[in-house]
Amino acid sequence: MAPTLFEVQPKPGDLIEIERTMYSHWAVYIGNNEVVHLLPPGEDLLSMMDSSCAVVRRQRLSAVAPLGFRVNNLLDGKYAPRRRDVIVAEACKLLGRTLHYDLREYNCEHFATSLRYGKRESRQVKEAEDTALALGAVAAVALGAAFFAALLSGEGETKEKEREKRNRQGRRY
């Protein structure tokens, strides 16, 4: 089970990862048990895929993540985080705004990482794309192998038919 606010005290500017059924939701902690996050109209995957806009909201962390969360400043090793006061100020400036939303190009993780690092990235999208590429490669190899096997099988059948034809012709004479 993920930790709750009673077990972990995030610092302002920290990225908060909240596990959902098929994805993680991301928010920026701003202090006082509050987060700022980007929310499409519905939180189920289908409505997220359908939505082209989302609203920046401020909510209590305990309401957004009643079952727990984790502090996950996932790109600290790759990028230098911005100052905590700058992250919080930028997050608060965006409150109430409706922003473009796209599951692949600008989702809640892109929003959160852009506030913390000044660069938008979504590890979830990258992992999904990598998985899709890997599955596509496996499918291509499997199709290629099946085609090659069919080709060899067909070639063998053709040679066998030619042999039978010669044998029949040889018997006629």
Side-chain angles (χ1 to χ4, degrees), residues 38 51-56 97-108 110-111 120:
L38 186 64
S51 184
S52 63
C53 62
V55 178
V56 179
R97 286 207 189 156
T98 299
L99 302 179
H100 171 74
Y101 182 85
D102 180 289
L103 206 50
R104 281 188 66 230
E105 299 295 325
Y106 196 75
N107 62 42
C108 60
H110 290 107
F111 172 78
R120 63 184 197 194

Side-chain angles (χ1 to χ4, degrees), residues 13-70:
D14 280 343
L15 298 183
I16 303 297
E17 182 179 12
I18 305 146
E19 288 189 35
R20 301 286 195 239
T21 304
M22 294 179 62
Y23 67 98
S24 289
H25 181 63
W26 291 82
V28 175
Y29 188 75
I30 60 168
N32 283 339
N33 183 30
E34 291 186 311
V35 293
V36 171
H37 57 140
L38 186 64
L39 280 176
E43 279 201 59
D44 61 279
L45 204 52
L46 185 58
S47 65
M48 281 191 238
M49 291 171 69
D50 251 7
S51 184
S52 63
C53 62
V55 178
V56 179
R57 293 189 57 190
R58 176 184 201 156
Q59 289 184 282
R60 301 205 52 79
L61 178 55
S62 53
V64 176
L67 301 177
F69 65 91
R70 73 182 180 137

Side-chain angles (χ1 to χ4, degrees), residues 143-154:
L143 283 172
F147 178 74
F148 187 66
L151 199 64
L152 289 177
S153 170

